[in-house]
Amino acid sequence: MVFDHDLIRFGLFSGCGAFVGRALCDDPDVIKNVAEAFESIWSRPLPHDRYTV
């Protein structure tokens, strides 16, 4: 999760998917890369009515 383009929080998970913690990062390069990656995929969602498990 990006907060005001100044701070990002990463959720940390174990190999089996259990939540193990979180990490905060204020590195501008990391925040920029994550924000750009998010924006690049935001316009490509799968409509909910076409999603199946």
Side-chain angles (χ1 to χ4, degrees), residues 8-45:
I8 189 166
R9 184 180 73 188
F10 292 101
L12 308 174
F13 297 86
S14 71
C16 65
F19 179 76
V20 295
R22 59 186 57 91
L24 296 175
C25 178
D26 61 359
D27 182 321
D29 292 331
V30 172
I31 294 169
K32 179 178 180 279
N33 287 338
V34 171
E36 287 176 355
F38 178 83
E39 289 300 323
S40 73
I41 63 169
W42 185 249
S43 65
R44 300 177 182 197

